[in-house]
Amino acid sequence: MKVSGAISRRKMLKGRGLQVGAGVAAALVAVPVLVILSSLFKPTQDIWGHLLENVLPRIFVNTVSLVIGVSFGTLILGVALGWLTGACDFRGRRIFSWALLLPLAIPTYVMAFVYLGLFDFAGPLQSALGDMFPRSNPRLPNIQSATGVIIVMTLALYPYVYLLARSAFMTQGLTSIEAARSLGASPVGAFFRVVLPMARPWIVGGLMLVVMETLADFGAVSIFNFDTFTTAIYKSWFGFFSLTAAAQLSSILVFMVLIVALLEQRLRRQQRYTGGGGSTPSMARIQLSGVKAWAAVVFCLLVLLTAFAVPCLQLIVWSADSFGMEFGTRYLGLVGRTLFLALAAALITCSTALLLAYARRYHPEPFTFGLTRVATIGYALPGTVLAVGIFIPVVFTDNFISQIVRSVFGYDLKPLLQGTVFIMLIAYLVRFTAAGFNSVDSAMQRIAPGIDDASTLLGAKGLALLRRVHLPILKSGILTGLTLVFVDVMKEMPITLMTRPFGWDTLAVKIFEFTSEGEWERAALPAVAIILTGLFPVILLTRHNEKQFAT
Amino acid sequence: MHPLLEVKNISSSYGNKLAINDVSVNLEKGEIGCLLGPSGCGKTTLLRTIAGFKDIVSGDILIEGRRVAAEAFSVSPEERGVGMVFQDYALFPHLNVQENVAFGLKHMKRSEKKRRVGDLLSVIGLEQVKHKYPHELSGGEQQRIALARSLAPRPRLLLLDEPFSNLDVNMRELLSMEVRKIIKQQNTTGLVVTHNQHEAFAMADKIGVISCGRMLQWDSAYNLYHRPCGSMVASFVGEGVLLPGRVLDDHLVECGLAVLKGRFSSSCPVGAMTDILIRPEDVVHEDESPLRAVVVHKTFRGPNIIYTLCLSSGDAVLALFPSHYRHEIGEEIGIRPEVKDIVLFKRDHEELRRPQEVNPKSMLHNESECHYNV
């Protein structure tokens, strides 16, 4: 290895610039995490005592019950739907298999406010019910409850479990079932003794993603007024103005999240071993017919309606109602700023991802692998935590600089970094590097180690090598990375809310503001824009899956 | 006493296409049968109908005299008492070796299960890996575990679908003999699907040659080789060429090689056009022989060399000589036919074949296509 690639490597990249870059990226992630973790050992203030007594028990119970409830819900929905579309065959199966991913385009907070609006006292469901039974005028159940938020988040997050469970069931094929049945197991027995255990690493992997999203969720729970760690962090900073309390709450949340992230990474290693036979994934399916086929269609349709069609319809109706009032230069300004931020963040993030991928390629050493691991762990950090973790060192740096300026030049300097777009972009970078890196690096894996030497021998080296060989291979990966980060930033709420400079509202922030006033109709138009862009990665995902399984 | 397995005139289809067509198979208890045929000929489908994973559209399948499948009737796989070794082994990746082997054991005490698993693992010689997981094993080990797993519930019939196709050549031969030994030792009955005739010869008591969904011949290995019922079987089993010829007499037939005298495999009227099967060992080296042939190709096989010879008639034959007879390509040598039992097939179309040039396509090869020119 070393000998064969030595010449081209030396000519292409002098020294260790790539590793230094990867080090910087890793440091950007490590600093906020360390700041947060170290705050646990800081002397406590009065506010912390108050939190510990009145807030912490409640948010702990809330967060844990939310995580358990949403995990349970997404597990049932995801596995059932994954089994139906991954291993069975019935009329409409192909359409459902990608349509059931569509809810991925709807952020949890949009799902949350749509359902709150639907079940609102003045909402369409209640008035329809009142019209139907004018005498008794029955009341809809109050969904602003733990159960309500669990159901809403389940509808928004089940695709993670569904996607992984389905691909597990598809790669398994039917051989394992046949093997079990030839050994005397009944069809149901085969499902529970073989199919489900074999798919377990994938299913649990999907669940871990759901758990991380649930722990990190800020928008949906704050719309439901359901206090969890994330809302408590926000409130102790913006309500009590205590950055320390916010950091201390964050440190607890970080511990929870890191445990989940570690479990998830371990599971991903297990998945490699438990691949099924997978000889004829598309041919062998269980044919459903009659009542079973109808039940499957009804079930899939029901999920699709509640998780995608109904929310979208409601949003369209609201947007149409409020269009005259909402659409205008202010809205366009909002869209423009959101797009600018998303694009800038996507470019910065993917450049960093590219740098990390090249660092791994040209310095395949444990040290580089460690740096990239650290640099991509940011996806696990909840936005609220990250905002706090970045804000503290920024304030520290600002104070440090202004102290120096005051002592040397003798006048007061305005804070340099606080409340700048630059810091906001750094925060996005930390949070979304993994999204960009995974796409870019999987493309990088396709450039075989010998390709550089081969093209050097054929006369393409240096920039020509990059342009003629690397870029064409990496292009689709980079584009995927750009799209994913772009959309993630567009719908990002807590980081934007907590680090934006004055006047830098985005669509998501506007939704937060409208919904905290209960103005569902006005929040609809920004939500539609977010969902429309959110459809792009879903399309990318389905295309990728189709290529993978050729069904 | 019923035969253990009776497959009577079954057909099975995928959509409108018949995958197996009017196939019959009989296996006595303790026998090992082998289904031989090119890929896509329907042999795996036949195995799956017996296992119960594929329905049949006509015919009957009986195991120990009990009907398990007929038109619109099928006993579910888990109730047939049939074990199966899958081509990709289908070991359960989430279970270790011990748990895999014990999977099919039901209604047994823990200690009994443990003993049965231990016995089987010692039979296959893999007790030392019982706590390992499938991905930690080599291909050959996985294969043997799959065999042990399928034998554990003591199936009446064991089906093996291309059991050695994922192994390297040396491994195959070793394992096919070992598997035969184990099946016999466990006193069960086996049916193996393969496309490799050496495997079939090594394992089977009876071999069925299948082509395009039809059973061409269900017979012993000896008969398949020496008394093939048609040119398809002749071409699939063993090597050799078919030479066009004409019947002169009850025991005499004329072909490009010589006028051959011997017992006919099937009676042919005088003057009929036939194809005569000439195996490589039917052609003997003899320097003084007036019958001359030119070496056009040779393949060294260790103990012997297989030569492709061009006759003066333009026909080509294969000849197997001990490997110390070394001849160069282009050399003219003397040969003598040594055929006692003449295998000949009457030609369906009375076309007169021109003396053909040496054309590799006229040679019979093991890897024949489904529609070999007959």
Side-chain angles (χ1 to χ4, degrees), chain A residues 107-147:
Chain A
T108 47
Y109 55 82
V110 173
M111 195 77 89
F113 88 74
V114 170
Y115 270 96
L116 269 189
L118 265 170
F119 281 80
D120 197 286
F121 182 64
L125 287 182
Q126 181 65 62
S127 16
L129 207 62
D131 290 346
M132 258 193 287
F133 307 99
R135 289 263 175 78
S136 55
N137 197 12
R139 293 291 301 272
L140 283 169
N142 180 19
I143 66 160
Q144 197 151 11
S145 60
T147 323

Side-chain angles (χ1 to χ4, degrees), chain A residues 349-393:
Chain A
T349 306
C350 283
S351 313
T352 310
L354 205 56
L355 183 137
L356 290 171
Y358 268 115
R360 274 175 78 113
R361 179 179 175 76
Y362 288 110
H363 304 286
E365 305 148 18
F367 178 63
T368 329
F369 293 155
L371 287 181
T372 48
R373 281 284 284 284
V374 173
T376 52
I377 199 74
Y379 77 102
L381 293 179
T384 43
V385 172
L386 188 57
V388 173
I390 286 192
F391 199 73
I392 292 173

Side-chain angles (χ1 to χ4, degrees), chain A residues 188 209 229 231 244 360 449 474 489 492 521 550:
Chain A
V188 177
L209 292 178
F229 273 97
T231 54
T244 324
R360 274 175 78 113
L474 293 176
V489 172
E492 207 291 324
E521 279 194 19

Side-chain angles (χ1 to χ4, degrees), chain A residues 490-547:
Chain A
M490 270 205 69
K491 55 185 189 187
E492 207 291 324
M493 187 183 272
I495 296 178
T496 320
L497 195 63
M498 292 163 81
T499 62
R500 85 204 131 116
F502 182 74
W504 276 83
D505 287 353
T506 63
L507 292 168
V509 169
K510 217 63 199 167
I511 290 177
F512 178 78
E513 287 176 354
F514 284 138
T515 51
S516 53
E517 308 284 320
E519 296 187 88
W520 322 123
E521 279 194 19
R522 298 186 69 191
L525 200 56
V528 168
I530 288 179
I531 291 177
L532 283 179
T533 43
L535 285 174
F536 280 104
V538 178
I539 293 166
L540 277 179
L541 198 65
T542 46
R543 276 238 216 103
H544 172 76
N545 274 321
E546 270 167 25
K547 257 188 243 160

Side-chain angles (χ1 to χ4, degrees), chain A residues 174-246:
Chain A
L174 293 186
T175 343
S176 50
I177 301 181
E178 288 179 353
R181 295 194 68 191
S182 79
L183 292 166
S186 67
V188 177
F191 182 80
F192 283 104
R193 287 180 68 192
V194 173
V195 174
L196 221 47
M198 272 174 74
R200 192 167 44 206
W202 280 269
I203 295 171
V204 180
L207 269 183
M208 292 296 142
L209 292 178
V210 169
V211 170
M212 278 196 274
E213 289 282 335
T214 311
L215 284 176
D217 184 79
F218 170 76
V221 287
S222 62
I223 288 170
F224 266 77
N225 252 331
F226 188 76
D227 281 329
T228 62
F229 273 97
T230 52
T231 54
I233 293 166
Y234 178 75
K235 280 178 185 166
S236 51
W237 184 2
F238 285 79
F240 298 113
F241 301 102
S242 168
L243 207 49
T244 324

